[in-house]
Structures are given as structure tokens and as C-alpha cells.
């Protein structure tokens, strides 16, 4: 997550440079095997997913350095503090910090307890945060939380607010709503509001008495990875 309300992250080129500086594929293969690399904010199979957004920020440290130069930072940048959740997969922050440094982006990691990191982040003093994020299964509700005042220092633009409100219109049929979800997702990617890395795969153990289970649903709450919502499930006595 990137704090676009502070310098130099208020420049689009810098946020895009960060996205190009991270080599997601070997990072995920080494540390989170079986999970799915991502460059966007909706997972494959969900209505907001847009195939054209995959690989939009391919690993390209030269491109990252060129973008920094365009933004006026030809010698690289000292980004500031990177809050790192203790709950993330060990080794992830080391790999990300090393890759950023190779593109001329230097950060200072600060490890924070996973339960309190969000409260420090929203104070707006830190440049970036490496943590888990939940968007839930309903994209507009999840996006309103994920990019709302609880998690986004400085707030979001009026353009985003309008796009999000349009996508939440309950009078829309599924196809029209999916198209508007995709517009929100595209805006987030093109504006490089964050640098998404990976969709982590959870493993479920379900006995034969449980009905209605679907491997395609993550059963995750909108705001917390600890708030599981067993929607659509039943148990046979």
C-alpha cells in the first residue's frame, strides 16, 4: 500500500516505478508456492477482474529508473518508512526491499504487529505498508473499505468516489455491474494506488456433512482476514 498524499508518492511516475521494480513471479514461487501473482485488485473469476490488466507492471527495473527520472529523481529516491506486518510470509519484505533498491528506491523497514499496523498507517506519516488486505467477495463494498478513510491516508479522488458509487448501484444487472467494477479496478491499477503482489491461497478442510462449499469463494469478510463469513454453507445432522 502506498501513501500518495506525501512526497514523492504524490507523483504517478514514482508509484508506477515501484510497481515495475518488484519481480513478483520468483518472489511468489519461492515464498508462496501455489499462490497467484497479481498486478490488479480483483482476482480471476470475480466480476471486477480484467484480463487486460495482467502483467501491466511487468518487472522492469530500467523502466522503473526511467520513470523516476521523469519525475525528477534521476539519482533515485529515499522513500521513507515502510511499515511491515509481522503476519506476512517471512522473507517477503527482504525480497521486496532488495528489489526496490536495485531500481534506486530505498526504504526503511519498520516491523509492526499485524493487529495494530493499520492504526499506525492511517496516521499518514509513513510512505508505504506491506501487509495483507481483504476486499471481500462484493467488489464495491470491499473497495469502499479497502480504499476508504480507514486504510487510505489522505483519502481518494473525486473520480474514484464517483466510479465507486456508480458501481454500487443496485438497479444494475450483473453484466453492467461487472463492467463498472472493472472500471474501478482499472482506475486503481492505472493510478498505481498500490503495488499488489499476490493472491494468497487458503486451504480448507471440509467434512462430508458440510454442504454448499465452493472452492471459488474465499468466505472472507470485507475488513479482516480473521472475519470468516460462511455464507451459503449448511451442515447435515
Amino acid at each position: 500500500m502506498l501513501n500518495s498524499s506525501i512526497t514523492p508518492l504524490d507523483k504517478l511516475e514514482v508509484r508506477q516505478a515501484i510497481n515495475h521494480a518488484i519481480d513478483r513471479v520468483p518472489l511468489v514461487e519461492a515464498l508462496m508456492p501455489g499462490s497467484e501473482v497479481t498486478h490488479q485488485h480483483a482476482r480471476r473469476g470475480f466480476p471486477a477482474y480484467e484480463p487486460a490488466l495482467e502483467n501491466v507492471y511487468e518487472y522492469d527495473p530500467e523502466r522503473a529508473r526511467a520513470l523516476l527520472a521523469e519525475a525528477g529523481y534521476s539519482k533515485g529516491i529515499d522513500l521513507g518508512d515502510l511499515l511491515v506486518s509481522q503476519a506476512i510470509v517471512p522473507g517477503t519484505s527482504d525480497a521486496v526491499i532488495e528489489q526496490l533498491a536495485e531500481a534506486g528506491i530505498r526504504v526503511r523497514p519498520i516491523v509492526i504487529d499485524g493487529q495494530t499496523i493499520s492504526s499506525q498507517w492511517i496516521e499518514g506519516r509513513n510512505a508505504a505498508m506491506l501487509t495483507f488486505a481483504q476486499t471481500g467477495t462484493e467488489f464495491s463494498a470491499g473497495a469502499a473499505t479497502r480504499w476508504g478513510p480507514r486504510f487510505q491516508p489522505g483519502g481518494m479522488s473525486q473520480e474514484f468516489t464517483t466510479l465507486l458509487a456508480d458501481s454500487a448501484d443496485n438497479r444494475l444487472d450483473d453484466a453492467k455491474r461487472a463492467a463498472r467494477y472493472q472500471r474501478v479496478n482499472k482506475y486503481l491499477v492505472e493510478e498505481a494506488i498500490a503495488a499488489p503482489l499476490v493472491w494468497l491461497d487458503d486451504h480448507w478442510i471440509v467434512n462430508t456433512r458440510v454442504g454448499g462449499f465452493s472452492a471459488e469463494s474465499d468466505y472472507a469478510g470485507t475488513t479482516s482476514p480473521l472475519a470468516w463469513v460462511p455464507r451459503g454453507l449448511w451442515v447435515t445432522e
Side-chain angles (χ1 to χ4, degrees), residues 149-160:
R150 180 177 175 183
F151 289 114
Q152 193 64 22
M156 292 293 287
S157 70
Q158 184 58 51
E159 182 180 0
F160 171 81

Side-chain angles (χ1 to χ4, degrees), residues 29 103 183:
E29 288 179 349
R183 288 180 206 160

